[in-house]
DNA sequence: GTGAAAGCGCTAACAC
DNA sequence: GTGTTAGCGCTTTCAC
């Protein structure tokens, strides 16, 4: 690779002059500017960001740690995160931690060694102190990583309520609720509680089926859903995240249930793949793009320490997107 | 951040000794080893990979350029690529080029500036020469980037044939085929040709609808599918990539068509989200994990120039996964 | 306006 | 076995 010295020689100036021209610093005559730009073009010069990072102690790289990028929700989120980072001149280093704490710790160490300027985490397998001790700008996606780490999430409480009200309005009286693992403290627990509370206040029975912690492979869905439906043959309403909801609908149709006549289903997420499935899922739409944008914005503010005050809890509104399953 | 010098001082040795201990090079007494390891632990030292990269002229970073990570196929592929890279000690820098040539060129320049060791490309908006002139190890995912750039793809010819035979065996006589844009030369064109040829040899009529180049948003699907179905009211068989196939099934059901009785549908890809949809799609399964593994393996071989001979065309087998749409 | 030189944190000769 | 030193490709003081 050609370096700054090659450009300097070609242009007949010193390396510091080339650096100045590149970074548009100080006063340089138009004549030398032209010489330098021509040399750069002739040599097809690309400045070495590694050397720059070493000196500047800033890599402009952001680490993203997720449980599994291939899950539709994380895939969409990653898309928007990358897009926002790109606009701001940052690069994305992607890490799939698969909810393994050793894997997550290894990734964090790797990111530290690579001098990333900050990390966006949508995983939570370590202890709160471990995150704090990193001494690096961090933003959490829908996870509580301690009071000092900003969190970006949707309004789960409102979401749970909206879902409950939709099923109530449809006249459901025997409801099955697939909740995430309640062992890990995440904002979605608020959604589960809000959903159940809203229904119980109306004296509606809710059967909550708690899903295991590591539950990303769609192939694992079937047996758990089957068991839940076997145990609750008379349910007439279901609430679950979109992918679980879709898999449940599939199973219900196989069981000759008519949707929405026999059973109403409400999802949570608003995944774009819902545009491909029939019947169209009624779902609580998370603002995935805005969540991603806010996460990036908050992290970059943290890095720049631009705003003395950084919002620690960013909750974005959800909305009911009515389809044909209610 | 604490650096190698801090560790050296703390351990009472020179920086080169610390470096030797870290990299396990040369003979070092157990006593100094212990001193150094203790110092590293006490200071919670993480070696600076940026400095190492600068010296070694190797970043251990691989760039991945895709049209859109949020598309299920690319999301799955990315997952496996990251997994393989991680096992080999490489890191992944993710780029979404959105089929924009300016965007793709900017990403390539960015990756060059960041001294990536190689690039995996699943996009193709530049000229063949542009890729060759990069003078950097490159592997193409399902794109022809010139004779000298290895390509990894599934056996499209066999896939197209398998799909055609499946529809034939089901007795379809009026077939609608959604093909990707034929303006860009990609291996999937072979699939389209193979599909059509197989049917035409049996004197079966195929109506091919060519999709636009930039066609990733599921929201764009509907109007094109509607138009195709309006123009071909009597079709009894459909072939398309999984996502298009799913969206078409949705539209057919809306039109009160029974699947598979009235219309048979065969997909191409074998996406994991197919486990969530009903009826279960009959599809040609691409070996997504193996494709990803092969792409990584080939790229790393290219980087290490380990094998004097590097396979330039890696074609992996596909298989028919029969569901309930045929 | 431009150049010389130090230094970012590491590795690898080359000493001894 | 371990230390000294040059240098990877940049940026930035400090000269002039």
């Amino acid at each position: 690779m050609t370096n700054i010295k090659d450009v300097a020689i070609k242009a007949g100036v010193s390396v510091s002059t080339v650096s100045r021209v590149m970074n548009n610093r100080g006063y340089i005559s138009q004549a030398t500017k032209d010489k330098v730009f021509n040399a750069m073009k002739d040599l097809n010069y690309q400045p070495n960001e590694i050397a720059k990072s070493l000196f500047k102690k800033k890599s402009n790289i952001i680490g993203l740690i997720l449980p599994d990028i291939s899950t539709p929700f994380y895939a969409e989120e990653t898309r928007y995160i990358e897009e926002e980072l790109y606009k701001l001149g940052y690069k994305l280093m992607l890490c799939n931690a698969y909810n393994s704490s050793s894997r997550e710790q290894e990734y964090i160490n790797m990111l530290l060694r690579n001098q990333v300027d900050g990390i966006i985490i949508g995983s939570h397998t370590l202890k709160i102190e471990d995150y704090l001790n990193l001494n690096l700008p961090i933003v959490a996606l829908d996870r509580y990583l301690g009071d000092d780490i900003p969190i970006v999430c949707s309004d789960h409480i409102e979401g749970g309520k909206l879902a409950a009200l939709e099923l109530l309005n449809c006249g459901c009286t025997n409801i099955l609720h697939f909740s995430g693992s309640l062992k890990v403290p995440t904002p979605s627990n608020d959604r589960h509680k809000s959903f159940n509370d809203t229904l119980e206040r109306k004296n509606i029975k809710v059967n909550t089926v708690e899903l295991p912690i590591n539950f990303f492979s769609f192939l694992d869905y079937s047996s758990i859903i089957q068991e839940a439906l076997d145990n609750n043959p008379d349910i007439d309403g279901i609430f679950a995240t979109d992918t679980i909801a879709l898999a449940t609908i599939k199973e219900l149709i196989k069981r000759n249930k008519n949707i929405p006549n026999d059973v109403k289903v409400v999802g949570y997420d608003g995944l774009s793949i819902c545009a491909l499935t029939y019947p169209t899922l009624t779902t609580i739409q998370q603002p995935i793009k805005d969540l991603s944008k806010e996460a990036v914005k908050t992290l970059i503010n943290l890095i720049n320490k631009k705003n003395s005050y950084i919002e620690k809890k960013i909750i974005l509104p959800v909305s009911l997107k009515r389809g044909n399953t209610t």
Side-chain angles (χ1 to χ4, degrees), chain A:
Chain A
M1 279 296 275
T2 118
N3 61 23
I4 196 171
K5 206 172 159 188
D6 300 327
V7 177
I9 292 169
K10 177 102 181 175
V13 298
S14 72
V15 289
S16 40
T17 298
V18 175
S19 173
R20 281 193 195 96
V21 172
M22 273 198 296
N23 299 291
N24 201 22
R25 253 190 255 307
Y27 291 95
I28 303 138
S29 72
Q30 192 58 46
T32 38
K33 270 190 191 170
D34 291 344
K35 277 192 292 182
V36 170
F37 279 127
N38 284 333
M40 296 200 317
K41 196 161 285 174
D42 288 354
L43 297 171
N44 197 16
Y45 171 67
Q46 296 285 355
N48 185 327
E49 289 284 335
I50 298 237
K52 187 169 175 168
S53 298
L54 180 59
F55 185 89
K56 291 265 212 174
K57 293 170 171 296
K58 186 159 193 308
S59 64
N60 287 303
I61 298 176
I62 299 299
L64 175 61
I65 302 180
L66 294 175
D68 180 356
I69 176 75
S70 69
T71 304
F73 183 77
Y74 292 124
E76 287 188 45
E77 221 164 18
T78 302
R79 177 207 149 129
Y80 294 119
I81 287 173
E82 194 278 330
E83 177 74 13
E84 286 304 303
L85 287 176
Y86 174 80
K87 283 186 199 158
L88 297 168
Y90 284 85
K91 295 143 277 179
L92 181 66
M93 207 167 255
L94 182 69
C95 310
N96 288 318
Y98 302 114
N99 279 345
S100 143
S101 63
S102 60
R103 187 78 181 253
E104 185 174 337
Q105 186 65 63
E106 279 175 55
Y107 269 126
I108 287 176
N109 289 340
M110 180 278 273
L111 294 173
L112 286 173
R113 288 196 301 275
N114 282 275
Q115 317 298 116
V116 296
D117 296 335
I119 306 183
I120 298 177
I121 305 193
S123 181
H124 178 182
T125 61
L126 307 180
K127 281 175 270 147
I128 299 286
E129 313 91 80
D130 296 334
Y131 295 105
L132 275 176
N133 291 341
L134 291 181
N135 210 18
L136 191 76
I138 297 183
V139 168
L141 282 176
D142 213 27
R143 306 285 137 140
Y144 294 124
L145 262 40
D147 291 341
D148 279 332
I149 293 181
I151 177 174
V152 177
C153 61
S154 65
D155 191 342
H156 289 278
I157 296 178
E158 178 69 10
K161 190 177 145 198
L162 283 177
L165 293 178
E166 176 72 3
L167 291 176
L168 267 175
N169 287 343
C170 293
C172 299
T173 55
N174 191 359
I175 288 170
L176 178 59
H177 176 197
F178 288 101
S179 90
S181 169
L182 300 168
K183 289 181 194 74
V184 201
T186 79
S188 44
N189 292 357
D190 297 339
R191 175 178 84 225
H192 305 314
K193 188 169 181 325
S194 157
F195 179 80
N196 288 358
D197 288 355
T198 304
L199 289 170
E200 276 156 19
R201 269 198 295 275
K202 303 282 181 177
N203 295 315
I204 304 286
K205 183 178 153 204
V206 183
N207 304 288
T208 302
V209 171
E210 192 180 332
L211 301 171
I213 295 179
N214 278 305
F215 195 61
F216 290 108
S217 169
F218 298 147
L219 299 172
D220 301 339
Y221 281 18
S222 180
S223 62
I224 293 185
I225 291 169
Q226 304 250 21
E227 192 189 331
L229 292 180
D230 289 343
N231 292 341
N232 301 277
D234 300 323
I235 49 113
D236 57 5
I238 291 179
F239 180 44
T241 54
D242 283 357
T243 52
I244 308 274
L246 294 176
T248 308
I249 288 170
K250 177 170 188 159
E251 188 53 39
L252 287 167
I253 297 177
K254 280 189 188 169
R255 293 175 180 219
N256 293 315
K257 296 282 188 184
N258 180 288
I259 293 163
N261 290 349
D262 302 332
V263 186
K264 330 276 184 218
V265 183
V266 175
Y268 195 88
D269 279 351
L271 300 176
S272 63
I273 57 161
C274 289
L276 306 177
T277 60
Y278 186 90
T280 302
L281 184 65
T282 293
T283 187
I284 309 298
Q285 176 75 54
Q286 291 204 63
I288 304 183
K289 185 173 183 176
D290 292 338
L291 289 167
S292 310
K293 283 176 99 158
E294 280 298 323
V296 169
K297 200 176 106 189
T298 304
L299 184 67
I300 303 303
N301 278 344
L302 222 49
I303 290 170
N304 295 334
K305 300 250 188 295
K306 214 164 47 188
N307 307 359
S308 51
Y309 177 72
I310 301 227
E311 190 68 56
K312 286 285 162 34
K313 205 165 176 179
I314 294 144
I315 299 178
L316 301 185
V318 296
S319 60
L320 174 72
K321 215 171 95 187
R322 195 172 277 123
N324 306 311
T325 61
T326 53

